[in-house]
Each structure stands twice: as C-alpha cells, then as structure tokens.
Amino acid sequence: MQHIIIDNRVCNLFIKGEKGPVFLHINEPSIPVGALQITEALEQIDNSYEYIFVEILINDWDKNLSPWSVKTNNRVFDGNAPLTLNWLLNNVIPYLKNNFTGHEEFYLAGYSLSGLFALWSLYNTDIFNGIICCSGSLWFPKWDEFMQNNHLRKNSMVYLSLGGKEEKTKNPLMASVGINTRKQLSLLKNDILLKSATLEMNPGGHFADTAFRVAKGIRWILKEKEFCLLSKKQKNNKIKEQ
C-alpha cells in the first residue's frame, strides 16, 4: 500500500499490474475498514486481475456526500455532493490520468452514504464507466423521486448490494432501503445507457463484512468487463465469417 498526495490530501494507493481499470473508493478517515482490508479481501477472492485501487478520504459524509440538503432522523445533510464530485473531476481524475497512463477506465465505489454518492454521480457525469454501491443509503429522502426522473449519462455497469437485515428495522425511513434498492435495479434495467447491473444480497446487517462486500463488487465489475470483451470478440468473429 502506498500513499499519494492529491490536492494536499493523503490518499491510499494499491497498484496491481500495468493495465486495468482504476477504482476510486470514497471512505471516511474514522472508518476502520479501508484500502488495506478491501484489497486484501479482493486478492483472497480472486487475484487474477490487474487494477488500481485508490482510497479517497472524505471528512463529514453527511455534509460532503449528500446529494441535496435535508434534515431527518436528527441528522443534518448539507447537500455538498456536487462540490465533492467537482473536486474529483477537476483534481483527482486529472492527477490519476497524468500519473498512471494505461489505466483508462474509472469506476467509483462506496459504502453506505458514499455508495449513494457513487450512484448519484452516474447521473451527473459521464467520466465513470460504472459504480459499486454497497449497502447504499437509498433510504435518503426523495431518492425514490430522483431515480425515477433521471437517467445515466454513459454506458455504465452498476453493482448494488445490501445486507439481508438492513431493511428489517422499526425505523420506516431506514426500512425503505430494501424497496428503493430493488426499485433502483428495475429502473436501471430500463435505462438505455445501462451496460449491466446486478443486486447481490448478503447475510447480516449494515456493517457486516464491509471489506468483502466492496471487494465482491470490484470483482463483479472486473469479471463483467471480461465477459463483455469476450462477447464483443465473438460477435466480431461472426461478422468476419459472414
């Protein structure tokens, strides 16, 4: 694991091979499960792929990753996700493109509220080839309206996951996460720019096996990319034969 400085911020970097996609993982400094645990989990699951993993640390999720301002459940969300996304587009992505040539595709990964941020970003920029949204906060107020009234900006792969116990809560707002996540998958499958999408259910609650959940999402993207490339080659071969 290496450390790099992007716009005066320390980011954690793991490089596997000379090619492959770049996975940006949005995390909070206070969360103990980070880049090391996730990359180790991924290598345990499948160590056959090349990729770059970059952990971007963002302070105060409620303030900086929420798509719009709202007060709910005794929490105040400032709605600064647009500012955070602009920082990624104007500082992080250019830095990575300049310093790591040969890695041309970018994917955004997140857990909980950062998972929602990753999903929201697909509707607001065409820079990412896909996202990983693990236990995403799709209970967020008015998200159901947003996802029904917006469309993807680029041909994208979307990995969604959820813990089986997450929707089993007495809090009606939090309980909506299951319904909204399934609705999200259904809407994505009708989006003309969707390349592929899946929803994986996991045992346990919101904070169970977080590193492995993110790692499984990365592996799904990598395998899906491999499958798409193989399908494209087979299609081209058939055209040549004709």
Side-chain angles (χ1 to χ4, degrees), residues 22 92-104 106 127:
V22 178
V92 176
I93 299 295
Y95 175 92
L96 296 173
K97 284 185 174 180
N98 289 333
N99 289 275
F100 301 98
T101 57
H103 302 269
E104 299 178 352
F106 290 83
I127 196 68

Side-chain angles (χ1 to χ4, degrees), residues 65-89:
L65 296 183
S66 49
W68 45 81
S69 61
V70 65
K71 294 181 181 180
T72 184
N73 280 9
N74 297 319
R75 294 168 68 181
V76 177
F77 298 91
D78 290 51
N80 285 344
L83 298 178
T84 301
L85 179 59
N86 285 337
W87 178 73
L88 291 177
L89 299 180

Side-chain angles (χ1 to χ4, degrees), residues 5 21 26-27 29 46 56 63 75 85-86 104 110 112 123 130 150 165 169-170 181 188 198 200 203 224 227:
I5 305 296
I26 306 298
N27 206 0
D46 192 338
I56 310 294
K63 177 180 179 179
R75 294 168 68 181
L85 179 59
N86 285 337
E104 299 178 352
S112 194
Y123 293 101
N150 289 274
K165 294 182 179 180
T169 173
K170 295 181 180 180
T181 302
L188 285 169
T198 190
E200 182 172 4
E224 196 68 15
F227 174 77

